[in-house]
Amino acid sequence: WRRHLPWLLAAATGLLLLAGASAWWMRRLAREVRSRREAEDQRNDMAASLPGVVFQYVVGPDGQLQRRYLSPSVDSFLGPGASQAAGLMEAVARHLTPADAAALREARRRSLAERTPFKQTARYLDPRHGERWLHCEAVVHALRDGGVAWTGYLVDVSTERALQSRLLDAMQTRNLFVASASHELRGPLQVITL
């Protein structure tokens, strides 16, 4: 057995080195996985605190639209089943008027084809909360593999729309009052100047 001892020692040393390298690699891999999970949890926490939905879709070189990220709050924001839809725009389009749905799809197609920013506001007929106004904005940027990333957000702007409507009504009421007052003052003044 003594003549095989150098071979056995070399094999044992090699196995120990391999075991040590494997243990080091597994610790490094576990640390990387833990770091990525923490980053993903942090991203989901930030997205959940936003008053809307954050998304990112990727259009690969083959032209297929793939979801890369969608806020965990999408079901509570748009209703049950929204996260299971083929895409966020499809989930929204289900509750739009046909004209608004067609305009939304066309705006998305144009944004992706021309690589221009996407901005669209539409009336959303929410079965749980009634009519709401949703506003979506997204930017497009090229990826290294030739694909395109489409990143954006979707928010409820119903309060702003109601405020705009009230402001417009107030402006019309003021204009009517000023016109009436002007007419009422002009009549007596015209008699005096004659």
Side-chain angles (χ1 to χ4, degrees), residues 51 53 65 81 96 98 108 114 144 155-156 162 165 167-168 184 187:
V53 176
L65 188 69
L96 298 180
R108 179 182 67 179
E114 299 171 6
R144 287 182 225 153
V155 291
D156 186 344
S165 177
L167 184 60
L168 186 60
E184 293 297 324

Side-chain angles (χ1 to χ4, degrees), residues 31-47 69:
R31 214 177 3 229
E32 179 69 22
V33 167
R34 187 173 42 255
S35 171
R36 286 183 185 221
R37 281 192 183 138
E38 288 171 0
E40 186 175 342
D41 289 345
Q42 187 179 23
R43 179 181 62 182
N44 285 339
D45 288 345
M46 286 190 296
Y69 181 77

Side-chain angles (χ1 to χ4, degrees), residues 61-117:
D62 60 352
Q64 291 287 30
L65 188 69
Q66 300 167 347
R67 177 173 48 199
R68 184 179 278 177
Y69 181 77
L70 187 61
S71 295
S73 60
V74 67
D75 284 330
S76 64
F77 187 74
L78 293 176
S83 62
Q84 305 305 319
L88 182 63
M89 294 302 128
E90 287 72 19
V92 170
R94 288 189 301 204
H95 298 285
L96 298 180
T97 63
D100 284 345
L104 185 72
R105 287 187 186 101
E106 175 58 24
R108 179 182 67 179
R109 186 203 60 75
R110 192 173 50 252
S111 172
L112 290 171
E114 299 171 6
R115 296 186 181 189
T116 56

Side-chain angles (χ1 to χ4, degrees), residues 121-123 133 157-167:
T121 302
R123 184 176 32 242
W133 285 90
V157 292
S158 301
T159 306
E160 289 81 0
R161 278 288 188 158
L163 185 60
Q164 284 176 349
S165 177
R166 287 193 348 234
L167 184 60

